[in-house]
Every structure is written in structure tokens, then in C-alpha cells.
Amino acid sequence: MATTKEYSVEEKLKALIKVQKIESKLDQIQILKGELPMEVKDLEDEIEGLNARKNRIEEEINGIQEFIESRKEAIKDAQALEKKYEKQSENVKNNREFEAINKELEMQGLEIKLAEKHIKDATEELIEKSEILEKAKKQIGIKEKNLEHKKGELDKIIVETEKEETVLRKQVNVARESVEERLLFGFDRIRKSYRNGLSVVPIERESCGGCYNTIPPQRQSEIKQHKKIIVCENCGRILVDNDLADSVDI
Ligand SMILES: [Zn+2]
């Protein structure tokens, strides 16, 4: 601050209020920026999860299709054996041989029936899995559309806030120059120690606007007089009256 000019307490308070208002706006931008990329990230994670699920179902479908193919091969093999045994049965020499061949034929017949049953069951499963796959693909499509929309929104907001942020940063630097170093040091220290970033607060319903500790009437009127800088006994924030706070525009 300029050394040539002495500032009144009221001017000092106004300067602090201004810095606080701009800093609070910058805080809001940070919060906004902090949440939007997270939303996009969540959607990306969700889509990644859905894609993994889709791949798993596709693998399962491939497995079922391979199984069906192997059962079809088994039927072919059994049918070939059946043909072989049928041919052999034409040249049987005795009853024992005939029975043995018949048993083999029966076995191959059962083998074929079993493979057919397997194919039927697997085909049903295949239909079921295909339906699940379609649903998963649809879901991915919806989420991807949503992501695209959110990303667009985010990009837009980032561009918008970047402009606003640049303006506010310049404003806050100018505003800080008109506050005494000692006051600024205390201001920054308190701002950093509270999550809401409030260092200068108005009186709200007879209480400190930062910690809601009740302010006695005598102290309230002292605050309104702007004769000295008064801090909250409970939280250390600088207290200002509403009229003064409202009189400062940024
Ligand atoms: Zn307080």
C-alpha cells in the first residue's frame, strides 16, 4: 500500500471485504472445476467397466460357440463309427461278435443323443447371452452419449471460467495492493485455516458469519462504528457489519 496515504479503518475494512469477495469467487470456480472433471472421470470409469463386461460376455459366447462346434464334431465322429460298425455287422461270424457290435452301435447312438442335448442347452444359453450382450452394448451407447455431452459441457465451462478466473486474479492482485501487509498476512493465515476460505465475515443473526458464535450487542455496535478492526473471539475472523459488506462491489 502507498506509504504517502493513511487509510481510515473503514477504508481498510472495505479493502479487506473486496479481497474476500474476489477470493470467494475464485474459490467457487475452483470448486466447480474440481467437480466437473470428476463427473467425466466417473463416467469414463463406468464405460470402462461396461466394456470389460461386454468383452467378458463376448468371450463366453465364443466359448459356447466352440463347445457347440466340438459337440457337432463329436456327432460326426459317432456317425462315422456307426457306419463302420454297421458295415462290420454285415460280416459277423458269431453271436458274440454280433452282440459286441450292437453294443458299440448303441453306445454311439447314446453319444449322439447326448451331444444333441448339449447343443440344444448351449444354444439356449447362447440366445440368453446374446440378449445380455445387446443390453450391455445399448448401455454403453447411452453412457458414451452422456459422456460426450458432459465433456462438451466441461470444456465450455473450463473456457468460460478461465476467462473469469484471469479477470478475477488481476482484480484480486490490485485489491490486495491496497491492504496493509500486516492485515493481509493475518487475512491469508485465517483463510487457509478454514475450509470455506472465509477470513472477513459479516454479522449474521447477531452472530459471527464464520463460526456462528453469538456477538454481544455492545460489540455489534462497535463493529458498526468502524473505529477499529474487530475479530471474532471464537474463530479469529474479521467481523464487519452488513451495510459495509454490501457497500463493496467487485
Ligand atoms: Zn467466529
Side-chain angles (χ1 to χ4, degrees):
M1 98 185 262
T3 46
T4 46
K5 195 185 176 243
E6 257 313 305
Y7 286 92
S8 70
V9 172
E10 191 175 293
E11 281 170 325
K12 285 177 185 176
L13 286 170
K14 278 186 170 181
L16 279 168
I17 291 165
K18 189 163 191 165
V19 174
Q20 177 66 70
K21 283 191 175 181
I22 303 168
E23 293 285 13
S24 289
K25 271 208 160 185
L26 283 164
D27 289 346
Q28 277 169 16
I29 291 174
Q30 289 313 312
I31 289 164
L32 194 68
K33 275 182 157 184
E35 280 169 3
L36 279 165
M38 219 156 61
E39 275 181 36
V40 167
K41 176 82 173 60
D42 283 351
L43 264 174
E44 282 172 343
D45 287 350
E46 244 180 288
I47 290 167
E48 204 187 303
L50 281 169
N51 270 320
R53 186 159 170 251
K54 190 195 91 181
N55 292 340
R56 211 167 49 238
I57 300 165
E58 280 172 344
E59 270 171 32
E60 280 171 3
I61 285 173
N62 282 340
I64 296 166
Q65 281 169 336
E66 273 170 28
F67 175 73
I68 290 173
E69 285 311 308
S70 78
R71 296 323 287 155
K72 280 182 182 168
E73 283 303 311
I75 289 173
K76 270 187 203 161
D77 292 346
Q79 284 169 338
L81 281 173
E82 269 183 340
K83 266 193 191 137
K84 192 188 107 186
Y85 292 131
E86 269 160 16
K87 217 168 197 157
Q88 277 181 14
S89 73
E90 286 165 14
N91 304 309
V92 281
K93 293 180 188 85
N94 53 50
N95 219 23
R96 203 168 55 89
E97 221 173 276
F98 178 78
E99 266 176 28
I101 286 171
N102 256 357
K103 207 163 200 176
E104 282 298 336
L105 276 170
E106 206 181 312
M107 284 266 286
Q108 295 314 315
L110 284 174
E111 192 69 39
I112 290 166
K113 274 201 178 121
L114 185 66
E116 280 169 349
K117 168 95 172 63
H118 282 160
I119 290 171
K120 188 176 165 276
D121 291 347
T123 305
E124 274 169 23
E125 207 188 338
L126 199 63
I127 292 166
E128 227 173 87
K129 294 274 177 200
S130 300
E131 278 168 10
I132 295 169
L133 180 65
E134 278 318 300
K135 269 186 198 163
K137 279 182 180 172
K138 237 184 205 168
Q139 243 184 322
I140 291 168
I142 291 167
K143 295 272 174 199
E144 273 176 346
K145 241 185 193 166
N146 198 1
L147 174 67
E148 199 185 321
H149 174 74
K150 285 260 172 201
K151 260 189 176 168
E153 209 179 0
L154 173 65
D155 288 345
K156 218 178 96 192
I157 285 169
I158 284 176
V159 170
E160 278 170 13
T161 54
E162 265 174 0
K163 266 189 225 161
E164 197 189 350
E165 205 182 329
T166 309
V167 172
L168 288 169
R169 291 240 174 264
K170 276 182 194 158
Q171 268 187 309
V172 87
N173 286 338
V174 173
R176 287 174 77 97
E177 273 170 26
S178 52
V179 181
E180 277 176 55
E181 223 169 286
R182 183 184 59 84
L183 278 175
L184 212 51
F185 182 78
F187 173 90
D188 285 336
R189 189 178 53 80
I190 289 178
R191 229 178 88 73
K192 269 179 211 147
S193 60
Y194 293 112
R195 264 176 60 188
N196 61 9
L198 292 177
S199 199
V200 178
V201 290
I203 303 166
E204 274 175 28
R205 275 177 256 121
E206 324 275 304
S207 310
C208 162
C211 70
Y212 304 103
N213 194 48
T214 310
I215 305 160
Q218 173 60 32
R219 215 160 163 74
Q220 284 184 48
S221 55
E222 275 178 59
I223 292 162
K224 281 178 192 143
Q225 283 164 17
H226 313 147
K227 291 259 168 65
K228 57 179 176 180
I229 290 168
I230 295 168
V231 298
C232 170
E233 286 171 342
N234 185 52
C235 68
R237 291 179 173 101
I238 294 166
L239 292 164
V240 292
D241 58 291
N242 274 303
D243 289 341
L244 193 70
D246 291 344
S247 74
V248 178
D249 291 323
I250 60 163

